[in-house]
Amino acid sequence: MLCSVCLLFSVVLTAAVCLGGDRFAKERKITPLMREARSGDSLSITGQVYAIEEKSEYQILYLKNNTVEFQRQMLEESKFIVYDTSKQKVKAGNKAAAEGKVKFFEEPRNPGNFNEKQYYEKQGIHACMWTDSIKVTDSRVWKVRDSLFSFRRKWKAVLYEFMGEKQGALLSGIMLGDKSDIDPEIKELYQINGIGHILAISGVQTLFLA
């Protein structure tokens, strides 16, 4: 009976995805930007910052409700990632504008490698870009979410202070999802011993859970 129910559910789910397309599978959606641009094309984008991740040399800004200017066309893009090397102070809720060259996520070249394309497109994110400048066009702040990001930064500083750089980086990766400072050899040891999933937690998802 259980097998029959599971089989029926699988058939219904498959039919829904095949017939419904991107309404049921975000990764199948073709956005206006994907139709018009190619990786390496220059564009400018304006959107609202809904999440921030800090790395040692850059910050990652997650934008939503975006307007993209590309070859004199104004296109809508629901979500987008901007890698900002200037590390200008930006808060959750701000509207920001940036310019750079777009990059669309690609399938892994080798079997078994991390599928970046699938990972981001399931979140409704289809493209990213690097920039060396960010301009805040609207300074309104989501106070609760920005407080969570601030708390995360302070928590990381405390871990480094009391645990040292090496252990602090490891705990930061496990507890906060910030893996930027973890020793590559330690990452490899976790993977060899089959516990690499412990370091695979997303800092953004951890904050949403909190």
Side-chain angles (χ1 to χ4, degrees):
M1 183 65 180
L2 180 60
C3 181
S4 299
V5 172
C6 292
L7 181 61
L8 177 61
F9 178 77
S10 299
V11 171
V12 172
L13 184 61
T14 301
V17 172
C18 292
L19 298 177
D22 57 24
R23 286 178 293 178
F24 296 96
K26 292 182 179 180
E27 60 270 27
R28 298 185 61 183
K29 183 177 182 180
I30 304 298
T31 68
L33 183 60
M34 294 172 70
R35 285 195 295 266
E36 299 293 334
R38 298 291 181 269
S39 287
D41 288 343
S42 298
L43 55 78
S44 61
I45 186 169
T46 302
Q48 190 169 33
V49 180
Y50 71 89
I52 305 169
E53 288 187 24
E54 291 187 348
K55 305 298 182 181
S56 57
E57 298 180 356
Y58 59 92
Q59 64 179 346
I60 306 174
L61 305 178
Y62 295 80
L63 307 181
K64 69 176 184 177
N65 302 327
N66 302 290
T67 301
V68 178
E69 184 177 350
F70 174 67
Q71 296 181 350
R72 298 183 179 180
Q73 300 180 74
M74 303 304 291
L75 308 173
E76 293 184 358
E77 188 75 9
S78 60
K79 293 183 178 180
F80 199 90
I81 295 178
V82 174
Y83 297 93
D84 172 37
T85 57
S86 70
K87 300 190 72 172
Q88 179 179 332
K89 189 173 182 180
V90 179
K91 296 186 176 182
N94 286 174
K95 285 189 176 180
E99 296 181 354
K101 293 184 178 180
V102 66
K103 176 191 172 186
F104 295 102
F105 302 114
E106 299 177 352
E107 298 282 355
R109 295 185 179 181
N110 299 316
N113 284 3
F114 173 65
N115 194 330
E116 182 183 53
K117 178 180 174 66
Q118 184 183 60
Y119 174 77
Y120 282 114
E121 290 188 349
K122 281 188 175 182
Q123 302 176 53
I125 305 172
H126 298 84
C128 65
M129 75 178 184
W130 285 85
T131 186
D132 56 8
S133 65
I134 286 286
K135 180 181 179 181
V136 175
T137 59
D138 190 330
S139 58
R140 283 179 291 183
V141 178
W142 294 337
K143 294 184 178 179
V144 174
R145 186 171 296 188
D146 187 65
S147 297
L148 288 175
F149 287 123
S150 178
F151 176 70
R152 182 185 179 214
R153 287 192 293 267
K154 293 177 181 177
W155 194 358
K156 180 178 178 179
V158 170
L159 290 174
Y160 273 61
E161 180 181 355
F162 287 94
M163 301 299 296
E165 184 175 350
K166 188 173 182 179
Q167 299 300 328
L170 180 60
L171 281 176
S172 180
I174 295 173
M175 300 172 66
L176 306 177
D178 186 349
K179 301 175 283 292
S180 57
D181 298 328
I182 298 179
D183 190 324
E185 292 184 2
I186 293 180
K187 286 184 180 180
E188 186 176 358
L189 283 173
Y190 270 71
Q191 292 169 354
I192 291 174
N193 287 279
I195 54 175
H197 57 278
I198 294 177
L199 302 178
I201 301 170
S202 165
V204 176
Q205 301 302 329
T206 303
L207 283 175
F208 287 160
L209 178 61

